[in-house]
Amino acid sequence: MGSENIEASQILPNTTIKVILDNTSLSFHDDQTQEQQEESSRRSSGKGTWKHAAFHIATTIATPAAYAPLPYAVASLGWPLGVSSLIAATLATWYSSLLIASLWEWNGKKHVTYRHLAQSIFGFWGYWCTAFFQQVASLGNNIAVQIAAGISLKAVYKHFHPDGSLTLQHAIILFGAFQLLLSQLPDIHSLRWLNAACTFSTIGFAATTIGVTIYNGKKIDRKLISYSSPESSSFLHIFQAFNGLGAIAFSFGDAMLPEIQDTIREPAKKNTYKGVLGAYSIIMVSYWLLAFSGYWAFGSGVQSYIVNSLTTPKWTIVMANLLAVFQMSGCYQIYCRPTYACFEDRLLPDKTNNFSFRYCRDRLIFTSIYIVLITLVAAAMPFFGNFVSVCGAVGFTPLDFVVPALAFIKAGKMPKDRKLCIMVKIVNYGIAAWFSVVAVLGCIGAIRFITLDIKQYKFFYDM
């Protein structure tokens, strides 16, 4: 235990978090299911470094689909509430990620998926509730990502062929075909080099978009920019604010940390701490700069996909869109893996030979069905901003805010100091309660605006 304290203190800058994560008591239970024991035993030890952890985490969270709606979310909430909500969400998800990482082998057993971690702490219902939220997050995220990638691909095409016939639906299908190819890679660790490149694409996209946003903002007559709500009634403005909360929750979506941690070499906990810190260093700077500069530049008229608000210089917008498509390819793959894992665990008898004919055939069939369904929904209802909000509210908010806070308390991983223990409980219960409210409000706002979009646009509308 002493060496573990020393290791954590070398990584985490905040003394309180160091004490919370490491000065704890371990309790051992024998409630691991036979299914999980078999899954743990068949998996090899992780091979990734803390850098790989940072690449995976950054790719999972900091996608253009997550960056893009932030100025719109801040505009929906206004300066005071928008800024405070974004900062609070950043700090809360950083803290929650450290809590989940600290629960690695919390009872002496390896829990290689989020749902199995939840089962070890909350029991039967913990498994199935987490599996449900994870699937909602996975499916919703990939629908939103595919819409965003289609928007970017179409924008690049229109730059070179202004009168071309390619529609948004065509672009969405092209992206889906590329994802089907990548889906044949066996696991998350096999994506490490793709995600490394995606992390650099994330930085490139953020830097390009922030720079071009500020450039465009200076070109615009500032007297024409309004920061008041574009909605005509206070009733719609309330729903717009709810929608903004859901979009912020989506932007910090990371429902895959235990799966990522399973790919990291020992000491997995220490390396994941470092990976979280490295990823959030990128996320914090880029998110805040883009959100605030985007709202400053375009005011309440900013588009839900920020790149659509940019007008000049053209070549930088093309570059931003290309970087966005490449980065979202990695994010899409990370989030389809829980669904693929469920399929493999139940329907593929030979999971040890990833190159057998039967394995490859069955995997191709299942991944094709998955990609076709996601592509069909994305093409039929390409309402990017509102899909982002409902996905963030229903899928990501429980997994990123509520479950980590409650799981840490339930697992008995509390500080020995009584005052610090009380403080941790207050913080954790406060996070769980507030973000439960955010989930409900965000879902209400998103559903309201999706309903309005369906009334205004036809299915398969070329937006």
Side-chain angles (χ1 to χ4, degrees):
M1 179 68 77
S3 61
E4 187 175 318
N5 289 337
I6 294 172
E7 290 172 346
S9 65
Q10 292 171 344
I11 302 157
L12 302 178
N14 188 292
T15 303
T16 302
I17 294 179
K18 284 187 290 184
V19 174
I20 293 171
L21 297 179
D22 294 298
N23 191 19
T24 59
S25 59
L26 296 177
S27 59
F28 294 87
H29 303 283
D30 295 320
D31 57 355
Q32 190 179 37
T33 64
Q34 182 178 359
E35 175 193 358
Q36 188 176 354
Q37 289 172 347
E38 292 174 354
E39 183 173 4
S40 296
S41 62
R42 73 174 171 79
R43 298 213 180 190
S44 59
S45 299
K47 300 177 182 179
T49 67
W50 73 267
K51 295 177 184 177
H52 294 141
F55 293 152
H56 292 318
I57 295 168
T59 300
T60 304
I61 301 176
T63 72
Y67 281 110
L70 284 176
Y72 174 78
V74 175
S76 299
L77 294 164
W79 274 120
L81 187 56
V83 171
S84 59
S85 296
L86 183 58
I87 293 174
T90 305
L91 298 178
T93 50
W94 175 66
Y95 173 69
S96 297
S97 295
L98 294 175
L99 293 183
I100 289 294
S102 73
L103 294 174
W104 177 254
E105 297 184 341
W106 71 275
N107 60 351
K109 300 183 179 73
K110 182 185 293 187
H111 309 288
V112 298
T113 66
Y114 206 143
R115 60 187 184 277
H116 285 121
L117 174 63
Q119 183 184 33
S120 72
I121 298 172
F122 297 108
F124 174 82
W125 287 108
Y127 178 95
W128 287 109
C129 288
T130 302
F132 169 76
F133 289 130
Q134 199 172 42
Q135 288 303 320
V136 170
S138 172
L139 295 171
N141 176 83
N142 282 354
I143 291 170
V145 163
Q146 196 149 352
I147 294 170
I151 292 171
S152 288
L153 281 173
K154 181 184 175 183
V156 173
Y157 174 82
K158 289 296 184 181
H159 174 76
F160 294 103
H161 303 281
D163 299 322
S165 59
L166 185 137
T167 66
L168 177 59
Q169 281 65 36
H170 294 149
I172 288 173
I173 292 171
L174 287 174
F175 184 77
F178 181 57
Q179 290 306 311
L180 179 59
L181 178 64
L182 292 179
S183 292
Q184 306 318 306
L185 295 173
D187 52 34
I188 291 177
H189 188 62
S190 64
L191 299 168
R192 61 191 180 280
W193 297 114
L194 171 66
N195 287 342
C198 287
T199 301
F200 291 110
S201 295
T202 296
I203 297 171
F205 173 83
T208 302
T209 307
I210 291 168
V212 177
T213 296
I214 295 173
Y215 178 81
N216 278 244
K218 290 184 176 181
K219 291 284 186 180
I220 299 173
D221 184 355
R222 305 310 302 167
K223 295 179 181 179
L224 301 177
I225 301 300
S226 171
Y227 296 100
S228 59
S229 172
E231 299 299 339
S232 56
S233 69
S234 57
F235 182 71
L236 285 178
H237 177 61
I238 292 173
F239 280 108
Q240 186 189 33
F242 292 169
N243 208 23
L245 291 173
I248 289 177
F250 174 87
S251 295
F252 291 94
D254 180 17
M256 297 288 297
L257 190 59
E259 285 83 349
I260 292 172
Q261 196 167 14
D262 184 48
T263 70
I264 306 305
R265 69 176 59 152
E266 294 295 340
K269 189 184 295 186
K270 172 183 176 181
N271 285 328
T272 306
Y273 289 159
K274 293 175 69 176
V276 168
L277 182 60
Y280 268 83
S281 298
I282 298 171
I283 292 167
M284 188 179 299
V285 174
S286 55
Y287 270 35
W288 293 3
L289 283 176
L290 182 59
F292 303 150
S293 64
Y295 185 37
W296 165 81
F298 304 108
S300 56
V302 66
Q303 298 294 310
S304 60
Y305 191 63
I306 181 64
V307 182
N308 287 346
S309 295
L310 307 178
T311 56
T312 183
K314 296 292 186 181
W315 69 269
T316 58
I317 300 172
V318 170
M319 184 172 70
N321 278 305
L322 289 173
L323 289 170
V325 172
F326 186 78
Q327 200 285 336
M328 285 187 283
S329 298
C331 175
Y332 191 104
Q333 283 302 305
I334 291 285
Y335 274 102
C336 65
R337 298 294 159 164
T339 306
Y340 295 169
C342 288
F343 164 74
E344 291 177 0
D345 290 343
R346 287 161 176 76
L347 300 180
L348 292 183
D350 183 13
K351 296 183 281 286
T352 58
N353 186 0
N354 293 338
F355 299 100
S356 68
F357 173 77
R358 181 176 180 181
Y359 177 90
C360 293
R361 180 200 64 192
D362 292 352
R363 185 181 182 86
L364 178 61
I365 292 172
F366 175 76
T367 54
S368 297
I369 294 172
Y370 176 90
I371 297 293
V372 167
L373 290 176
I374 295 293
T375 302
L376 181 63
V377 175
M381 296 185 292
F383 315 130
F384 172 73
N386 299 326
F387 260 117
V388 159
S389 297
V390 74
C391 174
V394 179
F396 287 119
T397 303
L399 296 178
D400 292 340
F401 301 99
V402 181
V403 172
L406 298 180
F408 188 79
I409 296 174
K410 179 73 172 177
K413 298 271 292 178
M414 299 298 292
K416 294 178 180 179
D417 182 80
R418 185 173 178 274
K419 291 183 179 179
L420 186 57
C421 181
I422 294 173
M423 185 183 73
V424 171
K425 286 185 177 181
I426 291 173
V427 171
N428 284 22
Y429 282 130
I431 289 174
W434 168 243
F435 283 99
S436 295
V437 174
V438 168
V440 174
L441 297 182
C443 188
I444 292 172
I447 291 174
R448 169 65 177 172
F449 280 97
I450 287 176
T451 303
L452 294 177
D453 284 338
I454 291 175
K455 290 180 180 179
Q456 183 177 357
Y457 304 107
K458 296 179 180 179
F459 285 112
F460 299 99
Y461 182 76
D462 183 21
M463 301 186 75

Short mmCIF file of all heavy atoms in Angstrom, two decimals, residues 1-12 15 17-28 98-108 261 266-271 273-274 408 413-414 416:
data_model
loop_
_atom_site.label_atom_id
_atom_site.label_comp_id
_atom_site.label_asym_id
_atom_site.label_seq_id
_atom_site.Cartn_x
_atom_site.Cartn_y
_atom_site.Cartn_z
N MET A 1 0.82 -1.21 0.00
CA MET A 1 0.00 0.00 0.00
C MET A 1 0.84 1.24 0.00
O MET A 1 0.54 2.23 -0.60
CB MET A 1 -0.94 -0.01 1.23
CG MET A 1 -1.82 1.23 1.33
SD MET A 1 -3.04 1.30 0.00
CE MET A 1 -4.20 0.08 0.61
N GLY A 2 2.00 1.21 0.64
CA GLY A 2 2.87 2.38 0.69
C GLY A 2 3.38 2.76 -0.67
O GLY A 2 3.40 3.92 -1.04
N SER A 3 3.84 1.74 -1.44
CA SER A 3 4.35 2.05 -2.78
C SER A 3 3.25 2.57 -3.68
O SER A 3 3.48 3.39 -4.55
CB SER A 3 4.99 0.80 -3.40
OG SER A 3 4.01 -0.22 -3.52
N GLU A 4 2.01 2.09 -3.46
CA GLU A 4 0.90 2.56 -4.28
C GLU A 4 0.63 4.03 -4.02
O GLU A 4 0.34 4.80 -4.92
CB GLU A 4 -0.33 1.73 -3.97
CG GLU A 4 -1.51 2.02 -4.89
CD GLU A 4 -2.65 1.07 -4.60
OE1 GLU A 4 -2.38 -0.12 -4.40
OE2 GLU A 4 -3.78 1.53 -4.57
N ASN A 5 0.76 4.45 -2.73
CA ASN A 5 0.58 5.87 -2.41
C ASN A 5 1.62 6.72 -3.11
O ASN A 5 1.34 7.80 -3.61
CB ASN A 5 0.66 6.07 -0.89
CG ASN A 5 -0.56 5.51 -0.18
OD1 ASN A 5 -1.60 5.37 -0.79
ND2 ASN A 5 -0.42 5.20 1.10
N ILE A 6 2.87 6.24 -3.11
CA ILE A 6 3.94 7.01 -3.73
C ILE A 6 3.71 7.16 -5.21
O ILE A 6 3.86 8.24 -5.79
CB ILE A 6 5.31 6.34 -3.46
CG1 ILE A 6 5.62 6.39 -1.97
CG2 ILE A 6 6.42 7.00 -4.25
CD1 ILE A 6 6.84 5.59 -1.57
N GLU A 7 3.27 6.07 -5.87
CA GLU A 7 3.05 6.13 -7.31
C GLU A 7 1.96 7.12 -7.65
O GLU A 7 2.09 7.91 -8.57
CB GLU A 7 2.67 4.74 -7.82
CG GLU A 7 3.82 3.76 -7.78
CD GLU A 7 3.35 2.35 -8.12
OE1 GLU A 7 2.14 2.12 -8.11
OE2 GLU A 7 4.22 1.51 -8.37
N ALA A 8 0.84 7.09 -6.89
CA ALA A 8 -0.26 7.99 -7.20
C ALA A 8 0.13 9.44 -6.98
O ALA A 8 -0.23 10.32 -7.74
CB ALA A 8 -1.48 7.64 -6.35
N SER A 9 0.92 9.68 -5.94
CA SER A 9 1.30 11.05 -5.64
C SER A 9 2.20 11.64 -6.70
O SER A 9 2.29 12.85 -6.85
CB SER A 9 1.99 11.11 -4.27
OG SER A 9 3.21 10.41 -4.31
N GLN A 10 2.88 10.79 -7.46
CA GLN A 10 3.73 11.30 -8.52
C GLN A 10 2.93 11.72 -9.72
O GLN A 10 3.42 12.43 -10.58
CB GLN A 10 4.74 10.21 -8.93
CG GLN A 10 5.75 9.90 -7.84
CD GLN A 10 6.58 8.68 -8.19
OE1 GLN A 10 6.22 7.91 -9.07
NE2 GLN A 10 7.70 8.54 -7.53
N ILE A 11 1.67 11.30 -9.77
CA ILE A 11 0.89 11.54 -10.97
C ILE A 11 -0.15 12.62 -10.75
O ILE A 11 -0.31 13.52 -11.54
CB ILE A 11 0.17 10.24 -11.38
CG1 ILE A 11 1.23 9.16 -11.60
CG2 ILE A 11 -0.64 10.43 -12.63
CD1 ILE A 11 0.65 7.79 -11.47
N LEU A 12 -0.92 12.53 -9.64
CA LEU A 12 -2.06 13.40 -9.47
C LEU A 12 -1.68 14.70 -8.77
O LEU A 12 -1.09 14.67 -7.70
CB LEU A 12 -3.14 12.68 -8.66
CG LEU A 12 -3.62 11.36 -9.30
CD1 LEU A 12 -4.64 10.70 -8.39
CD2 LEU A 12 -4.22 11.64 -10.66
N THR A 15 -3.97 17.06 -3.99
CA THR A 15 -3.70 16.25 -2.80
C THR A 15 -4.94 15.52 -2.33
O THR A 15 -4.89 14.36 -1.93
CB THR A 15 -3.19 17.16 -1.66
OG1 THR A 15 -2.05 17.85 -2.12
CG2 THR A 15 -2.85 16.34 -0.44
N ILE A 17 -7.50 14.41 -4.07
CA ILE A 17 -7.79 13.26 -4.93
C ILE A 17 -6.81 12.14 -4.67
O ILE A 17 -7.16 10.97 -4.68
CB ILE A 17 -7.77 13.67 -6.42
CG1 ILE A 17 -8.93 14.63 -6.68
CG2 ILE A 17 -7.87 12.47 -7.33
CD1 ILE A 17 -8.98 15.13 -8.09
N LYS A 18 -5.54 12.47 -4.38
CA LYS A 18 -4.55 11.44 -4.07
C LYS A 18 -4.99 10.65 -2.84
O LYS A 18 -4.91 9.43 -2.78
CB LYS A 18 -3.18 12.07 -3.81
CG LYS A 18 -2.46 12.52 -5.08
CD LYS A 18 -1.05 12.97 -4.77
CE LYS A 18 -1.06 14.26 -4.01
NZ LYS A 18 0.28 14.79 -3.75
N VAL A 19 -5.47 11.38 -1.82
CA VAL A 19 -5.87 10.70 -0.59
C VAL A 19 -7.11 9.84 -0.84
O VAL A 19 -7.21 8.71 -0.40
CB VAL A 19 -6.15 11.74 0.52
CG1 VAL A 19 -6.72 11.07 1.75
CG2 VAL A 19 -4.87 12.49 0.86
N ILE A 20 -8.06 10.39 -1.60
CA ILE A 20 -9.29 9.67 -1.89
C ILE A 20 -9.01 8.37 -2.63
O ILE A 20 -9.56 7.32 -2.31
CB ILE A 20 -10.24 10.55 -2.73
CG1 ILE A 20 -10.72 11.75 -1.91
CG2 ILE A 20 -11.43 9.74 -3.23
CD1 ILE A 20 -11.46 12.76 -2.72
N LEU A 21 -8.14 8.43 -3.63
CA LEU A 21 -7.92 7.29 -4.51
C LEU A 21 -7.07 6.22 -3.87
O LEU A 21 -7.23 5.04 -4.15
CB LEU A 21 -7.28 7.74 -5.82
CG LEU A 21 -8.12 8.69 -6.69
CD1 LEU A 21 -7.34 9.06 -7.93
CD2 LEU A 21 -9.44 8.04 -7.06
N ASP A 22 -6.13 6.60 -3.02
CA ASP A 22 -5.13 5.64 -2.59
C ASP A 22 -5.15 5.30 -1.10
O ASP A 22 -4.73 4.24 -0.69
CB ASP A 22 -3.74 6.15 -2.96
CG ASP A 22 -3.59 6.21 -4.47
OD1 ASP A 22 -3.68 5.15 -5.12
OD2 ASP A 22 -3.39 7.32 -4.98
N ASN A 23 -5.59 6.23 -0.24
CA ASN A 23 -5.60 5.94 1.19
C ASN A 23 -6.94 5.30 1.54
O ASN A 23 -7.78 5.89 2.18
CB ASN A 23 -5.41 7.26 1.97
CG ASN A 23 -5.16 6.98 3.43
OD1 ASN A 23 -4.80 5.88 3.82
ND2 ASN A 23 -5.36 8.02 4.25
N THR A 24 -7.15 4.09 1.04
CA THR A 24 -8.46 3.45 1.13
C THR A 24 -8.33 2.05 1.68
O THR A 24 -7.26 1.48 1.76
CB THR A 24 -9.11 3.37 -0.26
OG1 THR A 24 -8.23 2.63 -1.12
CG2 THR A 24 -9.32 4.75 -0.84
N SER A 25 -9.47 1.52 2.02
CA SER A 25 -9.52 0.14 2.51
C SER A 25 -10.10 -0.74 1.43
O SER A 25 -11.08 -0.38 0.79
CB SER A 25 -10.37 0.06 3.76
OG SER A 25 -11.67 0.50 3.50
N LEU A 26 -9.50 -1.93 1.23
CA LEU A 26 -9.96 -2.86 0.21
C LEU A 26 -10.84 -3.92 0.86
O LEU A 26 -10.50 -4.46 1.90
CB LEU A 26 -8.76 -3.52 -0.49
CG LEU A 26 -7.86 -2.59 -1.28
CD1 LEU A 26 -6.68 -3.37 -1.85
CD2 LEU A 26 -8.62 -1.91 -2.39
N SER A 27 -11.95 -4.23 0.23
CA SER A 27 -12.80 -5.32 0.68
C SER A 27 -12.91 -6.33 -0.43
O SER A 27 -13.09 -5.95 -1.57
CB SER A 27 -14.19 -4.79 1.06
OG SER A 27 -14.78 -4.18 -0.04
N PHE A 28 -12.78 -7.62 -0.09
CA PHE A 28 -12.75 -8.66 -1.10
C PHE A 28 -14.06 -9.44 -1.07
O PHE A 28 -14.53 -9.85 -0.01
CB PHE A 28 -11.57 -9.61 -0.85
CG PHE A 28 -10.24 -8.93 -1.04
CD1 PHE A 28 -9.64 -8.24 0.01
CD2 PHE A 28 -9.62 -8.93 -2.27
CE1 PHE A 28 -8.44 -7.59 -0.16
CE2 PHE A 28 -8.41 -8.29 -2.45
CZ PHE A 28 -7.82 -7.63 -1.40
N LEU A 98 -10.99 9.62 -12.82
CA LEU A 98 -10.03 9.15 -11.82
C LEU A 98 -10.69 8.17 -10.85
O LEU A 98 -10.06 7.20 -10.41
CB LEU A 98 -9.45 10.35 -11.06
CG LEU A 98 -8.59 11.31 -11.88
CD1 LEU A 98 -8.18 12.50 -11.02
CD2 LEU A 98 -7.36 10.61 -12.43
N LEU A 99 -11.96 8.40 -10.52
CA LEU A 99 -12.68 7.48 -9.64
C LEU A 99 -12.80 6.10 -10.29
O LEU A 99 -12.55 5.08 -9.65
CB LEU A 99 -14.07 8.02 -9.31
CG LEU A 99 -14.16 9.29 -8.46
CD1 LEU A 99 -15.62 9.62 -8.18
CD2 LEU A 99 -13.38 9.15 -7.16
N ILE A 100 -13.20 6.07 -11.55
CA ILE A 100 -13.35 4.79 -12.25
C ILE A 100 -12.00 4.09 -12.36
O ILE A 100 -11.89 2.87 -12.15
CB ILE A 100 -13.96 5.01 -13.65
CG1 ILE A 100 -15.43 5.40 -13.52
CG2 ILE A 100 -13.83 3.75 -14.51
CD1 ILE A 100 -16.31 4.29 -12.95
N ALA A 101 -10.96 4.85 -12.69
CA ALA A 101 -9.62 4.25 -12.80
C ALA A 101 -9.17 3.66 -11.47
O ALA A 101 -8.49 2.63 -11.43
CB ALA A 101 -8.62 5.29 -13.29
N SER A 102 -9.54 4.29 -10.37
CA SER A 102 -9.13 3.82 -9.05
C SER A 102 -9.82 2.52 -8.64
O SER A 102 -9.36 1.83 -7.73
CB SER A 102 -9.42 4.89 -7.98
OG SER A 102 -10.81 4.97 -7.72
N LEU A 103 -10.91 2.16 -9.33
CA LEU A 103 -11.66 0.95 -9.00
C LEU A 103 -11.14 -0.27 -9.75
O LEU A 103 -11.73 -1.35 -9.65
CB LEU A 103 -13.15 1.15 -9.31
CG LEU A 103 -13.87 2.20 -8.45
CD1 LEU A 103 -15.29 2.41 -8.93
CD2 LEU A 103 -13.86 1.77 -6.98
N TRP A 104 -10.05 -0.11 -10.48
CA TRP A 104 -9.43 -1.23 -11.17
C TRP A 104 -9.01 -2.30 -10.14
O TRP A 104 -8.27 -2.01 -9.20
CB TRP A 104 -8.21 -0.74 -11.95
CG TRP A 104 -7.42 -1.80 -12.65
CD1 TRP A 104 -6.21 -2.29 -12.29
CD2 TRP A 104 -7.78 -2.48 -13.86
NE1 TRP A 104 -5.78 -3.23 -13.17
CE2 TRP A 104 -6.73 -3.38 -14.16
CE3 TRP A 104 -8.89 -2.44 -14.70
CZ2 TRP A 104 -6.75 -4.20 -15.28
CZ3 TRP A 104 -8.90 -3.26 -15.81
CH2 TRP A 104 -7.85 -4.13 -16.09
N GLU A 105 -9.54 -3.51 -10.28
CA GLU A 105 -9.27 -4.61 -9.34
C GLU A 105 -9.56 -4.19 -7.90
O GLU A 105 -8.82 -4.54 -6.97
CB GLU A 105 -7.82 -5.10 -9.49
CG GLU A 105 -7.52 -5.69 -10.86
CD GLU A 105 -6.11 -6.26 -10.97
OE1 GLU A 105 -5.27 -5.90 -10.13
OE2 GLU A 105 -5.86 -7.05 -11.88
N TRP A 106 -10.64 -3.45 -7.71
CA TRP A 106 -10.95 -2.92 -6.38
C TRP A 106 -11.19 -4.03 -5.34
O TRP A 106 -10.94 -3.84 -4.16
CB TRP A 106 -12.18 -2.01 -6.45
CG TRP A 106 -13.46 -2.74 -6.68
CD1 TRP A 106 -13.99 -3.12 -7.88
CD2 TRP A 106 -14.39 -3.19 -5.70
NE1 TRP A 106 -15.17 -3.78 -7.72
CE2 TRP A 106 -15.45 -3.84 -6.38
CE3 TRP A 106 -14.43 -3.12 -4.31
CZ2 TRP A 106 -16.53 -4.40 -5.72
CZ3 TRP A 106 -15.51 -3.68 -3.64
CH2 TRP A 106 -16.55 -4.31 -4.34
N ASN A 107 -11.67 -5.19 -5.81
CA ASN A 107 -11.91 -6.30 -4.88
C ASN A 107 -10.97 -7.47 -5.16
O ASN A 107 -11.26 -8.61 -4.80
CB ASN A 107 -13.37 -6.76 -4.98
CG ASN A 107 -13.73 -7.23 -6.39
OD1 ASN A 107 -12.96 -7.06 -7.32
ND2 ASN A 107 -14.90 -7.81 -6.54
N GLY A 108 -9.85 -7.18 -5.81
CA GLY A 108 -8.86 -8.22 -6.09
C GLY A 108 -9.08 -8.96 -7.38
O GLY A 108 -8.30 -9.84 -7.74
N GLN A 261 -8.74 0.66 -19.98
CA GLN A 261 -7.80 0.30 -18.93
C GLN A 261 -7.35 -1.15 -19.04
O GLN A 261 -6.20 -1.48 -18.70
CB GLN A 261 -8.44 0.55 -17.56
CG GLN A 261 -7.45 0.59 -16.41
CD GLN A 261 -8.08 1.16 -15.14
OE1 GLN A 261 -9.30 1.27 -15.03
NE2 GLN A 261 -7.26 1.53 -14.18
N GLU A 266 0.58 -3.27 -16.72
CA GLU A 266 0.72 -2.97 -15.30
C GLU A 266 1.91 -2.03 -15.05
O GLU A 266 2.91 -2.10 -15.77
CB GLU A 266 0.91 -4.27 -14.51
CG GLU A 266 -0.31 -5.19 -14.53
CD GLU A 266 -1.52 -4.59 -13.83
OE1 GLU A 266 -1.33 -3.66 -13.01
OE2 GLU A 266 -2.63 -5.05 -14.09
N PRO A 267 1.81 -1.15 -14.04
CA PRO A 267 0.64 -0.94 -13.18
C PRO A 267 -0.46 -0.18 -13.92
O PRO A 267 -0.29 1.01 -14.24
CB PRO A 267 1.20 -0.12 -12.02
CG PRO A 267 2.38 0.62 -12.61
CD PRO A 267 2.95 -0.28 -13.68
N ALA A 268 -1.55 -0.87 -14.20
CA ALA A 268 -2.62 -0.31 -15.02
C ALA A 268 -3.25 0.93 -14.40
O ALA A 268 -3.59 1.88 -15.09
CB ALA A 268 -3.69 -1.38 -15.26
N LYS A 269 -3.39 0.92 -13.07
CA LYS A 269 -4.01 2.07 -12.40
C LYS A 269 -3.14 3.32 -12.56
O LYS A 269 -3.63 4.39 -12.95
CB LYS A 269 -4.21 1.75 -10.92
CG LYS A 269 -5.04 2.80 -10.19
CD LYS A 269 -5.13 2.49 -8.71
CE LYS A 269 -5.87 1.21 -8.44
NZ LYS A 269 -6.08 1.00 -6.98
N LYS A 270 -1.85 3.17 -12.30
CA LYS A 270 -0.94 4.30 -12.43
C LYS A 270 -0.89 4.81 -13.85
O LYS A 270 -0.95 6.03 -14.11
CB LYS A 270 0.46 3.88 -11.97
CG LYS A 270 1.54 4.92 -12.23
CD LYS A 270 2.91 4.38 -11.81
CE LYS A 270 4.02 5.38 -12.15
NZ LYS A 270 5.36 4.86 -11.76
N ASN A 271 -0.79 3.91 -14.82
CA ASN A 271 -0.71 4.32 -16.22
C ASN A 271 -2.00 4.98 -16.70
O ASN A 271 -1.97 5.89 -17.52
CB ASN A 271 -0.38 3.10 -17.09
CG ASN A 271 1.07 2.69 -16.97
OD1 ASN A 271 1.95 3.52 -16.76
ND2 ASN A 271 1.34 1.40 -17.09
N TYR A 273 -4.08 6.72 -14.72
CA TYR A 273 -4.06 8.07 -14.14
C TYR A 273 -3.29 9.02 -15.05
O TYR A 273 -3.74 10.14 -15.34
CB TYR A 273 -3.38 8.05 -12.76
CG TYR A 273 -4.15 7.40 -11.64
CD1 TYR A 273 -3.49 6.95 -10.50
CD2 TYR A 273 -5.53 7.25 -11.71
CE1 TYR A 273 -4.17 6.36 -9.46
CE2 TYR A 273 -6.21 6.65 -10.66
CZ TYR A 273 -5.53 6.21 -9.54
OH TYR A 273 -6.22 5.61 -8.51
N LYS A 274 -2.11 8.59 -15.47
CA LYS A 274 -1.29 9.43 -16.33
C LYS A 274 -1.97 9.68 -17.67
O LYS A 274 -1.91 10.78 -18.23
CB LYS A 274 0.08 8.78 -16.53
CG LYS A 274 0.93 8.71 -15.28
CD LYS A 274 2.22 7.94 -15.51
CE LYS A 274 3.18 8.69 -16.41
NZ LYS A 274 4.48 7.97 -16.54
N PHE A 408 -17.95 4.58 -6.36
CA PHE A 408 -16.81 4.80 -5.47
C PHE A 408 -17.22 4.68 -4.01
O PHE A 408 -16.52 4.09 -3.18
CB PHE A 408 -16.20 6.17 -5.75
CG PHE A 408 -14.91 6.43 -5.04
CD1 PHE A 408 -13.72 5.90 -5.52
CD2 PHE A 408 -14.86 7.19 -3.89
CE1 PHE A 408 -12.52 6.13 -4.87
CE2 PHE A 408 -13.67 7.43 -3.22
CZ PHE A 408 -12.49 6.89 -3.72
N LYS A 413 -14.37 2.51 -1.10
CA LYS A 413 -13.05 3.09 -1.34
C LYS A 413 -13.02 4.52 -0.77
O LYS A 413 -12.81 5.49 -1.50
CB LYS A 413 -12.77 3.11 -2.84
CG LYS A 413 -12.73 1.75 -3.50
CD LYS A 413 -11.36 1.16 -3.47
CE LYS A 413 -10.40 1.93 -4.34
NZ LYS A 413 -9.04 1.38 -4.28
N MET A 414 -13.24 4.64 0.52
CA MET A 414 -13.35 5.95 1.13
C MET A 414 -12.12 6.26 1.98
O MET A 414 -11.47 5.36 2.52
CB MET A 414 -14.60 6.01 2.01
CG MET A 414 -15.90 5.78 1.24
SD MET A 414 -16.17 7.03 -0.03
CE MET A 414 -16.46 8.46 0.99
N LYS A 416 -9.84 7.28 5.16
CA LYS A 416 -9.98 6.90 6.56
C LYS A 416 -10.29 8.11 7.45
O LYS A 416 -10.92 7.97 8.49
CB LYS A 416 -8.70 6.22 7.03
CG LYS A 416 -8.44 4.89 6.33
CD LYS A 416 -7.14 4.26 6.80
CE LYS A 416 -6.88 2.93 6.09
NZ LYS A 416 -5.59 2.33 6.52
#
